[in-house]
Amino acid sequence: MTTTTMTKIDRRPFASLGHADHGWLNARHHFSFASYYDPSRMGWGAIRVWNDDQIAANSGFPPHPHQDMEIITYVRSGAITHQDSLGNKGRTEAGDVQVMSAGTGVRHAEYNLEPETTTIFQIWIEPSRKGGSPSWGAKPFPRGERSGQFVTLASGFDGDADALPIRANARVLAATLKAGDSVDYAIDDGRHVYLVPATGAITIGGEAFGARDGAALLGGQTVTITAQEDAEIVLVDSE
C-alpha cells in the first residue's frame, strides 16, 4: 500500500510565477490572477492573491471596486498613494503597510506619485465573514523594530493590539535578518503559511530560497529560517 504525503515546504521560484507586463505595471503572480491561470496555484488556505508589482513613476491603478476581501499592501520601495470612495487618502512608504477591508463594497485607486518606480506586495485574504462596512488604515513599521524577529503588521486576532485590524483569521508578519541570523516559526495544525523574501536569500529547513521566491508551508511544523545574506521577509499565516 502506497501513502502519498504533501510536501511540507513547497518552493515557488520567482521565474515560475505568472507574469503580466502592462508597461506601467510589471506584475508577477504567486497565485492565479486575471489572465494567469494555474489550477495548482489557486490560493493557499484563505490566501487568494499575492502579487509582486512594479509600478512605474506617475502611474497606478485607477478607481476600481472590491467586495468581501481583505487587501494588504506591503510597500517594498518607493511609496503608494491610496484614495477611496469613503474619502480616505494616504501615502504609504517603503517598509510600511496599509490594509483595506472591502466589506459590502468600496472603490479605490492606488497611485505611484513618486518620480521613481514603486514596488509592492499586494496580498488578498478571504475574510472570515462577509459583509460589514468597508474600512482602510495604514501604519509605519520601522525596519529596526523587526530586526531578528517577526513583527505582526496586520491581524484578525484580538490579542494583536498593535497591528492593523483585518477581518480574517490570519496574520501578516515581517522580519529583517542579518546574514547568518536565524528565526524559528511554529505553524499550528490546519494553518497555511506563505512566505516571500522581499530581499536577500534565505534557507527554510535547509532549502534555498532567493529574493521574491515563494514558500508554501503546511501546518503542524516548526521551520527554521536562516538568512544567507541580509534579508527582509514577509509572511502570512492563515486558515
Side-chain angles (χ1 to χ4, degrees), residues 64-84:
H64 57 282
H66 289 284
Q67 184 176 350
D68 289 325
M69 193 64 70
E70 303 302 295
I71 299 172
I72 299 99
T73 303
Y74 182 91
V75 183
R76 292 155 43 216
S77 66
I80 201 80
T81 298
H82 166 100
Q83 56 191 67
D84 62 37

Side-chain angles (χ1 to χ4, degrees), residues 32 75 90 135 140 164 176 238:
S32 294
V75 183
S135 64
L164 287 163
T176 55
S238 81

Side-chain angles (χ1 to χ4, degrees), residues 3 13 24 43 49 51 59 78 85 102 111 133 143 212 214 220 225 234 237:
T3 301
W24 66 273
V49 169
N51 288 345
S59 65
S85 53
Y111 294 114
S133 299
R143 283 179 168 89
R212 300 159 76 189
I225 302 158
V234 181
D237 185 330

Side-chain angles (χ1 to χ4, degrees), residues 49-128:
V49 169
W50 190 309
N51 288 345
D52 179 328
D53 292 339
Q54 296 177 302
I55 307 167
N58 299 303
S59 65
F61 301 92
H64 57 282
H66 289 284
Q67 184 176 350
D68 289 325
M69 193 64 70
E70 303 302 295
I71 299 172
I72 299 99
T73 303
Y74 182 91
V75 183
R76 292 155 43 216
S77 66
I80 201 80
T81 298
H82 166 100
Q83 56 191 67
D84 62 37
S85 53
L86 306 174
N88 295 310
K89 186 172 183 179
R91 180 177 176 274
T92 305
E93 298 181 344
D96 299 342
V97 67
Q98 67 173 20
V99 301
M100 187 176 73
S101 294
T104 54
V106 64
R107 289 178 62 83
H108 80 136
E110 304 287 345
Y111 294 114
N112 174 17
L113 302 180
E114 313 304 312
E116 60 187 2
T117 298
T118 285
T119 62
I120 66 171
F121 289 146
Q122 187 167 98
I123 300 161
W124 296 10
I125 305 172
E126 287 190 347
S128 53

